[in-house]
Structure formats: structure tokens, C-alpha cells
Amino acid sequence: MKHVIALDVGGTGMKAALVAADGTLLHEARRATGRERGAEAVVETIQDFAAELLDLGRERFAATASAAGVAVPGIVDAENGIAVYAANLGWRDVPMRELLGRRLGGIPVALGHDVRTGGLAEGRIGAGRGADRFLFVPLGTGIAGAIGIAGRIEAGAHGYAGEIGHIVVRPGGTACGCGQRGCLETLASASAVSRAWAAASGDAEADAADCAKAVESGDERAREVWLAAIGALADGLVTAITLLDPRTLIIGGGLAEAGETLFTPLRTAVEERVTFQRLPHIVPAALGDTAGCLGAGLLAWDLLATEVPA
């Protein structure tokens, strides 16, 4: 059976799969990233994991994987196959495509940015299926975005397209790690809501999920925290809608797990802010934490589809 190797590398864990041409996950596996061991050890672990999948595919399907796709965080030069920088993994300028290709016996390797790769899967086979223009926004530790156009993800001229989390929505506000103040992700990410609710509730261990539960139970302090985050999020999303005019807006990440506790007031807040803009469908992501792995598989199949026969 023809298949490809897919790897989704995160700050704490890696997800991997063997993926058939129709997107079926033939085998799934997980492993700790082990970032505490240093960048070189992480890169070696990625190569080892991929090599194990190569061997498994040969044994189980009597065929060598046709290609591999890998999604990594941080700054990614997908065209040249280089993992440029990832603060949480400590690497710089890793020639990931070259290293993996060599380890996997010369099969073609595609490299992608984790959020854009997850967005590719959500747009093509998940919540955005059938939408010619979509924006995928995961609300997690930070906030990023993937711009989908006709089944592909727009990376931008320098690979930075979609960084909606660094739109300034509250000028002069909370300092952001990027160097600006008042960025969207300092106000509306899952980690931002966690910080705000921990401070408001007096419980240092409280997080965004606890805030959502408190909102559902009628806690007024929680409601204030929640609506402040939603207001900031709506401001950022309307900026994106104005620039991109997406048909579908897909919201994922940890904060989206609150379901309609998030989506009902968010749809209202966005609708209140648009004027001439056309309101997109605002929907929850459908693929959960498998999106990155499925997207890496799609990158691999896309690579094969664009190869010119010798």
C-alpha cells in the first residue's frame, strides 16, 4: 500500500503517522520531544522517529514510504527545507529536509510550519472543506493563523504570513515577547485568559478552562475576564476579515474547547464590529490535535504530485 510518513513536532510532544493517499491514518504514534536534552538531541529524536516509521511501513505494507512531511514550530523556510528558529526547541538553521531525506534513504521530504500545516488539513479535509478562502486561528499558548487560498496556505514573501497574534489591538497594553505592547495574543490566547482568571479569582492554579466553567456557572468575575478576551479577539479578527475577506473563519486550539461558551459571544462580537465587510462563517476546528499530522501527510502527498518524472 502506498503511504507517506507524517510528523508533527511540538514543544513537548511529537505526533507521527503513516498516511494513505486518501488521508486515512494507517498508523499513529506519539513520543516526547525531550527539549530539555537540547536542540541537537531533539533533531536526532525526530530522525529516529521517522526512521522507525519507515521500517514499520516496510514491514506492515510491504512498501517503502513514498515521501515524508514534517511540521515544526517557529520560523520555517519551507522552500529551502530549513527550520530557521524555534525558541521553545532551541534550534537555529537546521537543514531538516536534507537531514531527514538522508536518514530516510533519499525519499522526498516536505517541511512546513506547524500552524500553517494544521491549517492546510483543517481547510482541505476539516472544518474548512469546500471553502475557497479561509482563515484558521488556533487559540493556544499564543495565537497564530493560517491563510487558506484555493486549497493551499499562503506563507507570505518571507514565511511570516498569518501572524495575527501580533496585531496590536490595545496600543500601549501588556508587553509581548515580540517587542510590541498590546498584541492580540497577550489578551485573547488561552494562556492570557489563564493569567487573567488566576488574578481575578485569586487562585494561582486556575486556567482558561476553569474560567469557561465559571462563566457557565454564572460567575460575574469570570464573565468579565471572558468577555474582555472575546472583545480583543473580535477586534483582531475583524482586522483580519477586512484584509483577507475569508469565506470561513476556523477557530481552534485550547480555548475553542469551551464550545458555544466561546463561539456564541464571539460571533456576536464580530458581527457588532463589521460594517461593510461580509461576515464569514465562524466555526470550530474539526480535527483536534491530529491536524498537524494530517497536514504533514498532505504536504508529503502534494510534494509527490508536483514532482516531475525523470
Side-chain angles (χ1 to χ4, degrees), residues 192-206 221 225:
V193 174
S194 294
R195 287 193 299 270
W197 179 233
S201 66
D203 179 359
E205 302 299 316
R221 295 171 305 166
V225 167

Side-chain angles (χ1 to χ4, degrees), residues 99-125:
L99 291 173
L100 274 173
R102 190 184 310 150
R103 185 65 178 272
L104 298 175
I107 67 172
V109 176
L111 179 68
H113 179 271
D114 57 352
V115 172
R116 288 197 288 270
T117 302
L120 177 67
E122 280 289 353
R124 201 179 290 181
I125 60 176

